[in-house]
Amino acid sequence: MSATDGAEPSVSSSNGQVPVDALAAAGLAEVEAHTPILELAAIRAAYGQIQVLHGVSLKVFRGETVVLLGANGAGKTTTISVMSGQMTPTAGDYLLAGRRVNGAAPDALARIGVCTIPEGRGVFPNLTVTENLLMASYGGTPAARIKDQAFELFPRLAERRNQAAGTMSGGEQQMLALARGLVTNPAILILDEISMGLAPIIVDELYSYVARIARSGVSIVIVEQFAHRALAIADRAYIMAHGSVTAEGDPADMEAVLQASYLGSGH
Amino acid sequence: MTDQGSADQRYADLQREVEKLRIRERSPDAERRLRFSGVFATGLGLLLIFLGYWGASGTNQTYEHIPYLISGGIGGLALILMGGFITVRAWVVAMNAELVIQSERQTQVLERIEALLAEQHD
Ligand SMILES: Nc1ncnc2c1ncn2[C@@H]1O[C@H](COP(=O)(O)OP(=O)(O)OP(=O)(O)O)[C@@H](O)[C@H]1O
Ligand SMILES: [Mg+2]
């Protein structure tokens, strides 16, 4: 696939001007469709003096669901911290829709549509479900619409709207975290180990929601240690080890790659 | 299947917003470099003045003092001024970045309070 071929102005004009319309029609649209919505290029990142990411490169195209797998300590969460703006890379490029955003603040990235659901859910335990949802609004979105949207997708949350988030089950808290991300209407949703500590049946339910979100055109990055369910809904997969990407490919092939290495597929 | 139209729309929205994004490179390196170059310029200026003094003191002919005065004295003074300016600038940049972060945090808190208040009125 050569995205740039189309960018060559195939129509020449006598006055030497670039025929913009023709160019756009013939090439730019196609090039744009091939510009990843999110790209990490040779990203390095460190905690103080300890370098953890040694040149991570990956791409997420629009509407795609990409899963990032790897053992404990491979650097998955660190990679996500770079994507969310929590960490500024020490080298490499972080691109969103083609623009370099190294050093952009996490709240700025969240506001423009990069929604991250951190490891360990991150709901406010003492606030009710409704209050947690409203925390997600950046002023503009009316409270009523936020609630309609969240409660329509997650009826279970509607039943518990006045319950303190901390008293809900792990699965329900994870749903709340998902709902809170979704009401911001993100372009990119980044999920760090949403299945952690949950019963398989709950994980299935959560992933059915994630699949639904994916169908609505949100680009999704899923980080998981237990691969099976994430691979089932992913379009593409990356495997990380020791701070680098070691494999990339079709999710169907990845199960075999994983089985051959440290992980073994999920159950 | 994925709703491609919606995916395109989300991409377009993100692209529009990301173009508007103001990014302060929060690179600690950049700030350190700026501060270092300020100190370096000041040091170089002091050295030039000393060399100028040293050169000029080697002769008592006034016409021979002039080149030393120009390159050592004036050049050195200019470098010291520049170094001071860069140092102050590094300081202002750092302080300003801190202020922006603070005010963004305050805005966020206010927005949350606003949302909660709106909720009370529903
Ligand atoms: N705050 C920190 N300070 C210092 N080192 C850290 C910090 N956070 C993570 N690390 C180190 O960075 C490496 C990568 O950690 P990271 O959390 O990215 O791994 P992970 O792939 O998400 O693992 P897990 O599957 O356990 O969540 C690990 O060696 C870890 O010890
Ligand atoms: Mg992790």
Side-chain angles (χ1 to χ4, degrees):
Chain A
M1 166 177 68
S2 64
T4 44
D5 280 355
E8 297 295 329
S10 50
V11 190
S12 60
S13 73
S14 48
N15 59 10
Q17 271 191 330
V18 181
V20 177
D21 288 349
L23 183 64
L28 278 182
E30 197 195 323
V31 171
E32 286 222 317
H34 290 107
T35 305
I37 191 164
L38 181 155
E39 177 172 7
L40 300 182
I43 290 285
R44 291 167 179 275
Y47 294 102
Q49 298 299 313
I50 307 159
Q51 187 163 331
V52 171
L53 299 185
H54 311 278
V56 169
S57 299
L58 60 83
K59 291 175 183 177
V60 181
F61 293 94
R62 66 181 72 173
E64 210 181 20
T65 298
V66 166
V67 60
L68 183 59
L69 306 168
N72 283 121
K76 306 181 299 292
T77 298
T78 309
T79 304
I80 281 187
S81 304
V82 169
M83 293 179 184
S84 69
Q86 223 78 45
M87 277 179 89
T88 301
T90 52
D93 296 314
Y94 173 21
L95 307 172
L96 287 176
R99 188 190 169 194
R100 189 176 192 269
V101 294
N102 291 40
D107 61 298
L109 291 181
R111 205 161 14 214
I112 67 170
V114 181
C115 171
T116 310
I117 297 181
E119 212 168 2
R121 300 170 197 133
V123 299
F124 298 100
N126 296 321
L127 298 183
T128 67
V129 167
T130 306
E131 285 164 349
N132 263 284
L133 287 172
L134 292 175
M135 283 296 183
S137 75
Y138 286 100
T141 326
R145 216 183 76 202
I146 289 179
K147 286 187 288 182
D148 288 351
Q149 212 180 332
F151 294 153
E152 195 206 312
L153 184 58
F154 300 97
R156 272 224 230 177
L157 294 180
E159 293 163 23
R160 293 172 167 72
R161 61 179 75 205
N162 294 320
Q163 189 173 337
T167 65
M168 294 199 303
S169 75
E172 288 160 355
Q173 289 187 37
Q174 199 59 266
M175 280 174 209
L176 176 56
L178 265 182
R180 213 175 51 173
L182 280 181
V183 294
T184 63
N185 200 21
I188 303 167
L189 184 64
I190 302 168
L191 309 171
D192 196 355
E193 302 213 31
I194 55 169
S195 69
M196 192 159 48
L198 299 178
I201 189 164
I202 306 292
V203 177
D204 282 343
E205 190 182 349
L206 274 174
Y207 269 101
S208 74
Y209 286 122
V210 175
R212 225 165 108 185
I213 296 163
R215 282 195 295 275
S216 74
V218 178
S219 307
I220 303 183
V221 179
I222 302 174
V223 159
E224 276 293 354
Q225 228 186 105
F226 297 101
H228 191 67
R229 282 181 190 78
L231 284 171
I233 67 162
D235 299 308
R236 231 145 39 75
Y238 289 93
I239 297 179
M240 277 188 83
H242 310 297
S244 309
V245 171
T246 52
E248 185 224 327
D250 201 86
D253 307 331
M254 283 303 155
E255 298 239 31
V257 175
L258 283 172
Q259 237 129 27
S261 60
Y262 45 86
L263 278 170
S265 72
H267 312 286
Chain B
M1 246 356 277
T2 301
D3 179 346
Q4 199 54 47
S6 165
D8 289 345
Q9 186 58 50
R10 285 175 203 273
Y11 182 94
D13 291 346
L14 179 75
Q15 188 176 40
R16 193 187 58 241
E17 292 299 321
V18 83
E19 289 305 328
K20 286 194 263 175
L21 204 61
R22 276 189 317 115
I23 300 171
R24 307 166 257 116
E25 272 279 357
R26 291 173 306 167
S27 154
D29 281 357
E31 201 198 309
R32 210 179 309 137
R33 264 199 303 272
L34 198 62
R35 239 187 343 227
F36 175 79
S37 53
V39 171
F40 182 76
T42 308
L44 198 69
L46 285 172
L47 186 73
L48 263 180
I49 288 184
F50 172 74
L51 285 177
Y53 163 77
W54 189 62
S57 69
T59 169
N60 52 15
Q61 301 294 325
T62 305
Y63 70 88
E64 285 187 53
H65 288 171
I66 289 171
Y68 288 116
L69 181 71
I70 289 174
S71 54
I74 297 179
L77 217 61
L79 272 172
I80 289 172
L81 270 174
M82 202 170 81
F85 178 76
I86 293 173
T87 306
V88 169
R89 194 182 140 70
W91 183 60
V92 169
V93 165
M95 214 167 60
N96 195 43
E98 190 52 41
L99 277 177
V100 170
I101 291 169
Q102 295 289 346
S103 86
E104 264 169 19
R105 277 196 198 125
Q106 282 171 1
T107 312
Q108 267 178 299
V109 169
L110 285 175
E111 277 171 355
R112 281 175 195 161
I113 293 172
E114 194 179 48
L116 285 175
L117 283 177
E119 162 75 352
Q120 305 280 304
H121 286 294
D122 276 0

